[in-house]
Amino acid sequence: ASHTYMSIEVEASDVVRVVLQFLSENKLNASLAALQKESGISLNATDSVDRLTADVLAGRWDAVLTAVAPMSLPRGLLSELYEQVVVELLELREPDTARQMLRGAAPLLAMKAHEPKRHARLEALAARPYFEARDAYDGGVTRESRRSSIAESLRAEVAAVPPARLLTLLGHALKWQRQQGMLPPEGTKFDVLAGGAARRLVEREAYVSVAGPVIKFGKKSHAECAAFSPDGAFLVSGSIDGFLEVWDFERGKLRLDLPYQESDQLMMHDAAVLSLGFSRDSELLASGSQDGVLKVWRPRTGQCVRRFPKAHAGGVTCVAFARDGLSVATGSFDALVRVHGLKSGKSLKEMRGHTSYVNGVDWSADGSRLASASSDGSVRVWDAKSCDCLHSFRPPAPTGAELAVNSATFLPNSSDALLVCNRSAEAFVTSLSGDITTRLASGKREGGDFIASMVTAQGGWVHAVAEDGFLYSFDLGKGELGHLLKAHEKDVIGVVSHPHRNLVATWSDDGTLRLWRASAHGD
């Protein structure tokens, strides 16, 4: 069998030989023998045929026998080789070792079975108390000519193959993938079998309290949105100047291991980027901009794979991939919720009912529902297939004021509970019909109104940022504030958290995106 990759045909037998070489080099002899037997493919290869034949010509038989041990050579050649070794052992006055080989080495036992007279002759030579060259070498043949004949026979049977081919080929493949931006950041442990970053242990969720790197944008720019990828490999920001940038969140630097960023060919829109969202497999990134355009990218390569130039009549304020990755839900200043198909490149569904900006949209875990939050003060829950509005409710607002709802997101792995954040000093966990099960309060009469909130991937914590520039971290299980820290001096815009680490990003119109970590000591 063979497989074709980008017009290069690779024989399955060659793949087996590469694996056989790896087993041989790592002294996995039992596995080597089993694979050769099962596949019927032998590894008649060495890293240097010249060195092998030189060892034969010099009589370095230990090295020669070690080199040919994993090979499947013709029986006649093996008989000739082992016969010469026995003769030279007798010449060196090593009859005991010679007899041991005659009675234990597989090629010599095969000789005894198929050529008993030839084997008996060697036994007779080994029984003599002296060595006579003319008896050992018939017809004017010499030791040197026998060695030369064996060397030439080996040269015809054995191929020269560079050492460590499996690791070399893997290295070349990974280098190419890195050049194409298909690998996680440099220094990340890579899982060759899975084809991605090695799976890390998910940290036990906790609040963050330690300042990490600070990402600074240009003097007239700031981040409007940001998102971590579900696999934890990417942190992407969308800025007011239209650029999407992928960051090394360990160092707070632009990732230059992505070739398109290194060459300053950034992903971008013609207007301010207002929203970002990743597909579940982290392979695709959706971005929405002020001019109503929706784009879908491959963040590893920077390639725009789909563009919806008229996704909405107003700015695309929020985006969310469906669980199957085949469609994207969006909300907009035009008060509409839409679902766009990636295959068709068209708007597939539209949900009408809000009377002001749609600020947030999210899919339920089972994909059957969509939740939307609006500046009209309401949350709506929609049937994702029929587009019918199943529920509509208004979260509590002080003095009965109509407050904009910033977001309504389903709790992780849930299809019946929402985290709702409006422009008040409280965030709420509610049912789909609006029944409140948990209240999360900033505790402040002034400056404590929430701007944005999100729930962590495991559902243990809610992080929210407020008008006062503070980051509020709530223990959702206890329903109480766990930690409070000053995140920004100027107006804060948003907050996101890493999917499996205690790492939170906040950003502000002060031109910074700040990263926050949990304390190593838990304080």
Side-chain angles (χ1 to χ4, degrees):
S2 65
H3 303 277
T4 301
Y5 304 96
M6 296 177 65
S7 78
I8 299 175
E9 191 171 274
V10 179
E11 292 292 336
S13 58
D14 288 340
V15 176
V16 174
R17 289 188 181 93
V18 169
V19 175
L20 289 172
Q21 184 196 45
F22 177 82
L23 296 174
S24 175
E25 289 175 338
N26 288 276
K27 304 295 188 289
L28 300 172
N29 297 324
S31 299
L32 175 68
L35 181 56
Q36 287 189 133
K37 181 178 180 181
E38 186 171 359
S39 67
I41 298 170
S42 58
L43 180 68
N44 290 352
T46 181
D47 56 353
S48 174
V49 174
D50 288 340
R51 183 164 62 243
L52 175 61
T53 56
D55 286 338
V56 172
L57 295 173
R60 291 188 285 268
W61 299 115
D62 285 347
V64 173
L65 295 183
T66 299
V68 303
M71 300 180 188
S72 180
L73 298 172
R75 183 167 58 83
L77 175 55
L78 286 173
S79 295
E80 187 178 353
L81 170 62
Y82 275 79
E83 182 180 38
Q84 183 62 22
V85 174
V86 168
V87 168
E88 294 197 24
L89 283 171
L90 294 174
E91 190 174 359
L92 292 171
R93 306 294 192 268
E94 295 283 352
D96 291 339
T97 306
R99 280 192 288 268
Q100 188 176 3
M101 284 193 69
L102 280 166
R103 296 162 190 175
L108 291 170
L109 293 176
M111 179 192 289
K112 184 177 182 180
H114 295 92
E115 300 177 88
K117 290 184 179 180
R118 186 176 180 183
H119 190 274
R121 174 178 167 276
L122 291 174
E123 286 278 11
L125 288 173
R128 293 183 179 182
Y130 59 88
F131 177 79
E132 186 64 55
R134 62 187 174 185
D135 294 334
Y137 300 108
D138 297 330
V141 175
T142 64
R143 178 179 63 189
E144 285 68 28
S145 63
R146 286 283 293 275
R147 287 179 179 178
S148 179
S149 174
I150 293 169
E152 289 305 311
S153 296
L154 284 172
R155 185 179 291 277
E157 292 289 340
V158 178
V161 177
R165 284 298 293 159
L166 179 61
L167 298 181
T168 299
L169 290 169
L170 285 173
H172 288 330
L174 293 176
K175 183 178 180 180
W176 181 85
Q177 287 185 303
R178 183 172 297 286
Q179 290 172 344
Q180 300 301 310
M182 299 168 67
L183 294 186
E186 194 166 345
T188 303
K189 189 175 181 181
F190 189 74
D191 186 335
V192 174
L193 183 61
R199 186 176 179 182
R200 298 177 180 176
L201 291 176
V202 176
E203 293 180 3
R204 182 178 180 181
E205 290 186 339
Y207 61 79
V208 293
S209 59
V210 179
V214 177
I215 295 169
K216 296 181 179 180
F217 295 82
K219 289 184 179 180
K220 296 183 179 180
S221 181
H222 64 262
E224 281 286 340
C225 50
F228 281 104
S229 58
D231 65 2
F234 295 106
L235 170 62
V236 181
S237 66
S239 61
I240 196 170
D241 54 12
F243 290 109
L244 286 77
E245 294 166 292
V246 186
W247 301 97
D248 177 346
F249 48 79
E250 299 290 356
R251 301 173 181 84
K253 304 292 185 182
L254 193 69
R255 275 186 54 179
L256 298 181
D257 62 310
L258 299 172
Y260 66 94
Q261 293 203 148
E262 184 181 25
S263 60
D264 204 27
Q265 301 295 315
L266 301 180
M267 299 179 286
M268 67 175 297
H269 281 256
D270 294 330
V273 181
L274 305 181
S275 53
L276 293 171
F278 275 95
S279 59
R280 289 181 70 202
D281 62 5
S282 303
E283 290 298 318
L284 298 175
L285 171 69
S287 58
S289 57
Q290 179 78 40
D291 55 3
V293 175
L294 171 67
K295 293 185 178 183
V296 179
W297 311 84
R298 292 194 184 279
R300 297 188 189 278
T301 64
Q303 177 189 9
C304 182
V305 296
R306 183 63 74 184
R307 186 176 185 271
F308 300 83
K310 297 180 180 179
H312 287 275
V316 182
T317 57
C318 47
V319 297
F321 265 96
R323 291 178 67 84
D324 60 11
L326 299 178
S327 58
V328 179
T330 57
S332 168
F333 289 140
D334 64 10
L336 299 176
V337 175
R338 285 178 172 161
V339 177
H340 312 269
L342 296 192
K343 288 186 177 180
S344 67
K346 298 178 180 179
S347 177
L348 304 177
K349 297 176 182 179
E350 183 175 281
M351 298 159 196
R352 292 176 173 266
H354 287 297
T355 58
S356 187
Y357 306 155
V358 176
N359 300 317
V361 65
D362 194 31
W363 295 86
S364 62
D366 61 9
S368 66
R369 305 283 186 266
L370 274 167
S372 58
S374 172
S375 291
D376 64 11
S378 73
V379 173
R380 289 176 177 259
V381 179
W382 311 85
D383 184 300
K385 287 186 177 181
S386 68
C387 300
D388 292 336
C389 183
L390 304 176
H391 304 281
S392 178
F393 65 89
R394 294 177 178 273
T399 67
E402 187 175 281
L403 297 179
V405 184
N406 304 318
S407 61
T409 54
F410 285 92
L411 297 190
N413 302 315
S414 172
S415 295
D416 55 15
L418 294 168
L419 171 66
V420 177
C421 174
N422 64 0
R423 198 69 178 253
S424 74
E426 285 187 302
F428 312 94
V429 177
T430 74
S431 67
L432 299 189
S433 59
D435 296 329
I436 297 173
T437 58
T438 305
R439 291 174 178 260
L440 306 171
S442 69
K444 293 185 178 181
R445 290 189 176 182
E446 293 186 3
D449 290 350
F450 292 127
I451 303 297
S453 71
M454 52 79 55
V455 61
T456 53
Q458 298 172 58
W461 289 80
V462 168
H463 298 297
V465 287
E467 290 178 338
D468 56 10
F470 277 83
L471 171 64
Y472 295 77
S473 297
F474 295 95
D475 185 326
L476 193 53
K478 297 178 180 179
E480 61 185 37
L481 182 64
H483 193 262
L484 180 67
L485 65 82
K486 184 70 172 181
H488 296 272
E489 294 298 330
K490 293 186 68 176
D491 293 345
V492 66
I493 297 173
V495 58
V496 290
S497 73
H498 194 278
H500 54 253
R501 292 175 54 186
N502 293 309
L503 181 67
V504 171
T506 60
W507 57 98
S508 161
D509 68 2
D510 63 6
T512 65
L513 185 152
R514 296 178 180 269
L515 290 148
W516 308 92
R517 299 177 175 133
S519 168
H521 306 291
D523 50 33

